[in-house]
């Protein structure tokens, strides 16, 4: 007789006010199964995770674990039954060491009066050996790479006797090499009898790692089956309800002798960046690729007046520019969309309008009070141009999906009459439908307004489809350029693999 599903959901519904977040959803997870959950932002994925983990109580339906109906599943009961969730923020203690992060939950669960550090180190060492990885047990978690922190979170879940580990966008900040190592760990966990529910926006990762796929749209399950029945186009259509434009954007037509929008001549930034020379023309999208730590973000922040003192020469529209402060960068027409929109890019509790005018506040308050009519009119125009999905510009940014939050960040800078737009991870954590729309908006701006764009991304398909050229960067230097027919995903992968060759796994 076949064993029952590890977890089975039957007709689960959940409402928040008048919004139905989950509508009669049924799905199951088998023991030791790698199952991918896909869907756009707001489709119901996060609500489903919180139902399984006991954070939310469903309004209707049944939850079965090992074939038995669970009357009430709260977080403690869910953990006791082997469910562990690794959220995007990982929920680690950054100032504590690796061993402290791994042993803390065990110590609290057992309610011991004293801490047996010898036992804690032994447990930490054994679980890392079980995952076939090596970490410095005495290192502070905040000093680890994104991949190292992810490993600590996985190891902590395994130490809690996990039978199901739910991973929410686990590869967002990882390089291709680090993703490959994570997938190896996931398969090792499966071999040890642990099921994985893998939540991702990245379709190639879904197709590579999962055995079964469930797709949500607007709170309902719209597709489910073995991964062999899906390809990227079928997943995209299920997620969005339409076919998306996945072709390459055309290169701009630039007259000979056109003055570059942005030019760098022998630029250096402390010890992070050395001898960078490049030109970006009006209407051009230039990608910047390289492993984490290559100096990409240091270069972007320095151009925007956020970094160390810059050596060499920078010109904007042919005029010398010295990035001494953010204010001077904005005045020169430079805009920067940061890597982390939540901690660096937005005032989450404030409205879309307040966020929109924040980058050019002096222009809206020439007499110490804000010109509310102008702010409202120009925000409404930006709201429409950026295709933001919300009741209106008055709603708090915290209520928006990731894709709409990113549009607010980009739109805010475009209200400053920016001529150079630096996008650091422009679609990180954004669903496939919003990603396509953001790309289309960016190319419309380059075409219609002559905006020059630097796109920093670890998403190789994004770079190949959207950039006129991609510059490879390693150890603070530019190491190569791909353009024209040579600009392909395979060529980018080869370039990045060459840069990371010999790097410890």
């Amino acid at each position: 007789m076949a064993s029952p599903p590890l977890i089975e959901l039957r007709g689960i519904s959940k409402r928040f006010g008048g919004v139905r977040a989950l509508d009669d959803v049924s799905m199951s997870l088998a023991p030791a199964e790698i199952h991918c959950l896909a869907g756009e932002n707001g489709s119901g994925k996060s609500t489903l995770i919180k139902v399984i983990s006991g954070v939310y109580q469903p309004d209707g339906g049944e939850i079965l674990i090992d074939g038995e109906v669970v009357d009430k599943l709260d977080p403690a009961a869910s953990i006791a039954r082997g469910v562990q969730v690794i959220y995007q923020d990982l929920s680690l203690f950054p100032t504590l060491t690796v061993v402290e992060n791994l042993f803390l939950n065990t110590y609290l669960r057992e309610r011991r009066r004293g801490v047996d550090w010898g036992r804690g180190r032994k447990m930490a060492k054994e679980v890392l050996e079980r995952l076939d990885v090596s970490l410095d047990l005495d290192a502070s978690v905040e000093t680890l790479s994104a991949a190292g922190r992810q490993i600590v979170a996985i190891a902590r879940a395994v130490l809690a006797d996990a039978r199901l580990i739910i991973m929410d966008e686990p590869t967002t900040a990882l390089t291709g090499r680090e993703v490959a190592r994570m997938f190896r760990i996931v398969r090792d966990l499966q071999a040890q009898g642990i099921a994985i529910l893998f939540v991702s926006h990245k379709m190639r990762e879904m197709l590579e790692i999962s055995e079964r796929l469930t797709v949500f749209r607007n709170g309902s399950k719209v597709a489910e089956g073995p991964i062999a029945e899906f390809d990227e186009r079928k997943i995209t259509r299920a997620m969005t309800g339409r076919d998306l434009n996945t072709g390459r954007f055309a290169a701009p037509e630039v007259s000979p002798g056109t003055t570059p929008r942005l030019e760098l001549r022998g630029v250096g930034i402390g010890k992070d960046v050395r001898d960078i020379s490049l030109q970006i023309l009006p209407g051009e999208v230039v990608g910047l690729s390289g492993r984490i730590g290559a100096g990409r973000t240091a270069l972007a922040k320095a151009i925007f007046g956020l970094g160390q003192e810059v050596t060499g020469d920078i010109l904007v529209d042919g005029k010398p520019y010295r990035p001494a402060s953010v204010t001077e960068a904005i005045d020169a027409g430079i805009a920067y969309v940061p890597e982390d929109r939540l901690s660096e890019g937005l005032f989450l509790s404030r409205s879309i309008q307040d966020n929109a005018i924040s980058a050019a506040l002096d222009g809206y308050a020439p007499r110490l009070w804000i010109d509310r009519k102008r702010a409202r009119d120009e925000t409404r125009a930006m709201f429409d141009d950026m295709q933001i999905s919300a009741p209106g510009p008055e709603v708090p940014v915290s209520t928006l999906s990731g894709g709409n939050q990113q549009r607010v960040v980009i739109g805010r800078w475009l209200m400053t009459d920016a001529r150079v737009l630096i996008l650091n991870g422009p679609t990180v954590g954004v669903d496939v439908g919003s990603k396509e729309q953001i790309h289309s908006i960016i190319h419309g701006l380059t075409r219609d307004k002559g905006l020059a764009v630097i796109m920093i991304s670890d998403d190789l398909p994004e770079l190949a489809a959207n950039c006129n050229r991609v510059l490879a960067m390693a150890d603070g230097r530019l190491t190569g350029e791909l353009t024209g027919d040579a600009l392909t995903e395979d060529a980018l992968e080869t370039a990045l693999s060459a840069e990371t060759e010999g790097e410890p796994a």
Side-chain angles (χ1 to χ4, degrees), residues 230-245:
F230 293 89
D231 56 22
E232 289 190 38
R233 183 171 182 175
K234 187 172 181 180
I235 297 171
T236 297
R237 186 167 184 80
M239 289 172 62
T240 66
R242 66 187 192 280
D243 290 319
L244 301 184
N245 172 32

Side-chain angles (χ1 to χ4, degrees), residues 88-120:
Q88 290 185 52
D89 64 3
L90 303 181
S91 302
L92 299 173
F93 297 94
T95 59
L96 298 184
T97 65
V98 171
V99 67
E100 287 167 341
N101 271 274
L102 292 179
F103 186 53
L104 183 60
N105 282 355
T106 300
Y107 169 71
L108 293 174
R109 186 170 61 248
E110 294 179 351
R111 299 182 180 180
R112 293 176 179 267
R113 292 190 175 185
V115 179
D116 185 344
W117 289 114
R119 176 175 172 242

Side-chain angles (χ1 to χ4, degrees), residues 275-325:
D275 195 28
I276 300 292
S277 296
L278 60 85
Q279 294 182 344
I280 304 178
L281 301 175
E284 195 175 24
V285 180
V286 174
L288 199 55
S289 180
R291 63 182 175 84
I292 295 172
R296 303 171 304 172
T297 296
L299 178 63
K301 287 186 172 182
I303 294 172
F304 191 58
L306 284 170
Q308 306 172 49
E309 183 176 352
V310 175
T311 59
D313 297 314
I314 302 178
L315 295 89
V316 177
D317 287 332
K319 298 178 182 178
Y321 158 66
R322 179 59 56 180
S325 69

Side-chain angles (χ1 to χ4, degrees), residues 137-177:
L137 296 181
D138 297 313
S140 295
V141 163
E142 63 187 354
T143 68
L144 301 181
S145 67
R149 294 192 296 273
Q150 189 74 248
I151 288 169
V152 173
I154 294 171
R156 185 179 61 184
V158 172
L159 274 176
D161 297 323
R163 300 170 64 210
L164 167 65
I165 299 178
I166 301 173
M167 296 183 175
D168 188 10
E169 298 287 348
T171 64
T172 295
L174 303 187
T175 64
R177 185 182 179 89

Side-chain angles (χ1 to χ4, degrees), residues 335-391:
Y336 174 60
V337 175
E339 198 169 12
D340 187 344
R341 61 178 172 266
L342 298 182
S343 64
E344 298 180 279
L346 293 166
F347 303 100
L348 291 173
S349 63
R350 307 294 296 187
S351 68
I352 294 173
Q353 179 171 302
D354 288 346
N355 275 271
I357 67 173
S358 63
L361 195 56
D362 289 347
Y364 293 96
R367 296 180 180 84
L368 301 180
W369 62 84
I370 295 174
D371 184 341
R372 292 290 178 184
K373 183 179 186 305
R374 180 187 165 202
R376 184 170 58 253
D377 292 346
E378 294 189 9
T379 300
R380 171 55 72 176
M382 182 276 289
F383 184 92
D384 294 337
D385 289 344
M386 297 301 296
Q387 302 172 37
I388 296 170
S389 178

